[in-house]
């Protein structure tokens, strides 16, 4: 027990409330039910948001097919046996078994950070967008990893259509209707394909916009897109997108996007007000503020049992961890950063922590990658799963069926299914609620003193 005391419960600290954090805590609360009830163990989850985001549904949330509330899972409801702390771990001194964190309360009270001692550490802060030093990107780019970004982008696209429809300036109209996505992995391709589909439909409600007026550009540095579904299905996806007039540029990079002009490595200059950056991920920055071993890419070095290498009482999985792939034919390969591994690793990780607390042997994580499914808009998709290749409607249906089976909790499955069913019966949602981002704007205007026009009060 911590600091040699026997009265305190052993504290398991889980950093992050995403795939790994939520599933690990969920399984731990089941595995250690007796210990939790006896007060011998406590599980503390530190997370910046009180919900887990089901990221594969973000493109559909951006398209308006799923409402943002149903893309997230409320942690307090699911993890009723755990303590949820809304905050961020700033650093970890594992030698002292202490994490330093800032919470909403420390921010309000102005007390800075607080120290939280622990006995076992699960470190699962995932990844952040991997940006490159592209001039203008920090000012004009947007990522696609959070529900806020997905909904913000949906509102932004519809707002650009409103601007284009109401301006008399052709240059402004062209820039508003040009959408540049950088990165051809599933996040970028699905986000672009779903938003293009949504915008194409929405255009029919504008008197002076046609779908052909909108310009969608996908910029990819390598010679293929969607590597997750294999080369053949990736080529199909390119044909599908190009068939919809989407400008797919392979072996091309974004060089700069200053002054709202995207300059590509092939010399093209695209005036645009939208640059979506989905060119890969890098491990969460907090890992650099720990005394745990990291690999050259900044991920925590882990064993196949999901313990941090060479350190006792520290565990990791998901995008933040370099976990050996014991199923790979070539030695030295590691598991790719995806949800498929994250969910399964979390299960083994929780079981291994419970086993280690009970002095039992640990298991190895072994999962052969099953392939992937991707949506290319309503009724369009591509899949390569267990050696089977599907495209078009069957792939899209498989994508929906797979993710419906995977989204956590029965509650969320039922709500998502209800939304899909209703959207099959009614017309698509084309509304943008951009003003939700500034809820006080209307009141501030009403409460502001009236403008002084120099009028003298009449006596
Ligand atoms: C748009 C999109 C679509 C995707 N689609 C697929 C798909 O179809 N199939 C698939 O297999 N994978 C998909 N992925 C990838 C998948 O979502 C990730 O691999 C998975 O989320 C990794 O899980 P994780 O627990 O490591 O990280 P996350 O799920 O990202 O969780 C990390 C958590 O840690 C929190 N955190 C970060 N820093 C701190 C800190 N300092 N202190 C406390 N908490 C912190 C974060 O806020 C977050 O809640 C997609 C990703 C995106 C962005």
């Amino acid at each position: 027990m911590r600091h040699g005391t026997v009265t305190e419960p052993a504290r398991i600290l889980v950093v992050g409330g995403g795939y790994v954090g939520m599933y690990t805590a969920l399984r731990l609360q089941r595995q250690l039910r007796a210990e939790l009830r006896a007060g011998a163990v406590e599980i503390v989850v530190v997370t910046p948001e009180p919900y887990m985001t089901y990221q594969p549904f973000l493109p559909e949330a951006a398209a308006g097919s799923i409402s943002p509330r149903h893309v997230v899972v409320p942690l307090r409801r699911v993890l009723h046996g755990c303590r949820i702390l809304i905050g961020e771990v700033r650093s970890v001194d594992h030698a002292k078994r202490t994490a330093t964190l800032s919470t909403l309360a420390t921010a309000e009270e102005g007390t800075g950070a607080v120290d939280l001692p622990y006995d076992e550490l699960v470190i699962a802060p995932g990844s952040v967008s991997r940006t490159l030093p592209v001039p203008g990107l920090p000012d004009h780019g947007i990522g696609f990893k959070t529900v806020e970004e997905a909904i913000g982008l949906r509102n932004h696209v519809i707002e650009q259509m409103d601007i284009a429809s109401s301006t008399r300036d052709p240059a402004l109209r062209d820039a508003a209707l040009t959408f540049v996505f950088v990165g051809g992995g599933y996040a970028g391709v699905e986000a672009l394909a779903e938003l293009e589909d949504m915008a194409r439909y929405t255009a029919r409600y504008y008197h002076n916009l046609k779908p052909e007026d909108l310009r969608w550009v996908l910029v990819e540095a390598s010679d293929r897109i969607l590597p997750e579904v294999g080369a053949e299905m990736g080529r199909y996806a390119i044909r599908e997108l190009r068939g919809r007039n989407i400008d797919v540029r392979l072996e091309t990079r974004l060089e700069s996007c200053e002054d709202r002009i995207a300059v590509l490595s092939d010399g093209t200059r695209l005036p645009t007000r939208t640059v979506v950056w989905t060119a890969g991920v890098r491990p969460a920055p907090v890992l650099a503020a720990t005394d745990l071993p990291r690999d050259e890419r900044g991920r925590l070095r882990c064993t196949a049992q999901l313990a941090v290498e060479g350190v006792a009482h520290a565990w990791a999985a998901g995008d933040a961890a370099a976990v050996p792939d014991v199923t790979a034919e070539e030695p030295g390969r590691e598991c790719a950063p995806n949800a498929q591994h994250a969910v399964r690793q979390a299960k083994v990780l929780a079981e291994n922590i419970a086993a280690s607390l009970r002095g039992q042997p640990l298991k190895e994580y072994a999962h052969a990658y099953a392939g992937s499914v991707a949506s290319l808009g309503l009724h369009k998709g591509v899949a390569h799963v267990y050696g089977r290749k599907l495209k078009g409607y069957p792939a899209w249906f498989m994508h929906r069926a797979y993710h419906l089976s995977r989204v956590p909790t029965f509650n969320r499955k039922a709500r998502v299914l209800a939304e899909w069913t209703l959207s099959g019966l009614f017309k698509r949602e084309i509304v943008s609620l951009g003003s939700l981002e500034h809820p006080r704007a209307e009141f501030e205007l009403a409460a502001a003193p009236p403008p002084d026009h120099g009028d003298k009060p009449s006596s």
Side-chain angles (χ1 to χ4, degrees), residues 178-375:
T178 300
F179 305 97
V180 178
F181 285 65
V182 186
Y186 41 42
V189 171
E190 286 193 323
L192 180 149
E194 290 281 358
L195 280 162
E196 189 272 343
D197 207 47
M198 180 274 293
R200 173 181 291 274
Y201 177 88
T202 305
R204 68 172 75 170
Y205 294 96
Y206 288 79
H207 69 285
N208 57 353
L209 283 190
K210 294 191 294 301
E212 308 80 77
D213 297 338
L214 280 71
R215 182 167 191 194
W216 298 84
V217 185
L218 177 63
V219 180
E220 164 57 43
S222 76
D223 61 353
R224 60 195 281 196
I225 65 166
L226 286 178
E228 299 83 1
V229 294
E232 186 187 335
M233 291 295 99
R235 282 195 295 274
Y236 165 79
I238 293 175
R239 282 199 304 278
E240 217 292 324
L241 296 177
R242 285 184 175 155
R244 280 154 63 181
N245 220 11
I246 296 170
D247 184 352
V248 182
R249 304 214 179 184
L250 303 177
E251 298 182 32
T252 309
R253 289 180 316 281
L254 176 72
E255 304 255 283
S256 83
C257 56
E258 282 173 314
D259 303 325
R260 296 197 153 162
I261 297 180
V263 179
L264 308 185
S265 55
D266 61 6
T268 312
R269 294 168 66 83
L270 298 164
T272 178
R273 299 160 65 90
T274 315
V275 174
V276 185
W277 183 268
T278 54
V281 294
R282 68 182 165 90
V286 65
L287 300 180
T290 70
D291 53 352
L292 299 167
R294 293 182 299 138
D295 70 359
E296 65 291 342
R297 284 154 71 181
R299 297 169 306 170
L300 295 177
R301 282 184 199 281
C302 289
T303 66
Q305 290 142 348
L306 303 166
V308 178
E309 231 172 63
V311 190
H313 307 291
W315 312 80
D319 288 6
V323 178
D325 183 353
V326 296
T327 66
E329 280 161 19
E330 309 154 41
R333 287 199 71 136
E334 280 151 359
C335 300
N338 60 44
Q340 202 177 116
H341 283 301
V343 174
R344 290 171 175 85
Q345 287 173 350
K347 181 169 171 270
V348 174
L349 199 167
E351 285 169 5
N352 279 349
I353 293 180
S356 86
L357 290 176
R358 293 171 183 152
Q360 293 165 351
L362 307 185
K363 281 199 242 172
E364 275 199 345
Y365 172 73
H367 168 69
Y369 188 59
S372 207
V373 289
S375 163

Side-chain angles (χ1 to χ4, degrees), residues 15-21 46-49 51 53 55-56 58-59 87-90 124-127 144-145 186-187 190 284 286 317-320 337-340 342 372-373 403:
V15 180
Y19 269 89
V20 172
V46 180
T47 167
E49 308 89 18
Y51 51 78
T53 304
Q55 289 173 339
L58 290 180
E88 250 179 79
V89 169
R90 299 279 174 208
S127 54
F144 199 80
K145 267 191 77 66
Y186 41 42
E190 286 193 323
V286 65
D319 288 6
N338 60 44
Q340 202 177 116
S372 207
V373 289
H403 285 300

Side-chain angles (χ1 to χ4, degrees), residues 19 23 54 57 343-344 373 397-410 412-414 416-417 420:
Y19 269 89
Y23 278 106
Y54 190 75
F57 274 159
V343 174
R344 290 171 175 85
V373 289
F397 187 80
M398 184 180 210
H399 164 84
R400 280 207 160 176
Y402 173 77
H403 285 300
L404 191 65
S405 74
R406 287 282 150 193
V407 65
T409 81
F410 178 71
R412 285 301 179 264
K413 291 186 207 304
V416 168
L417 186 60
W420 282 344

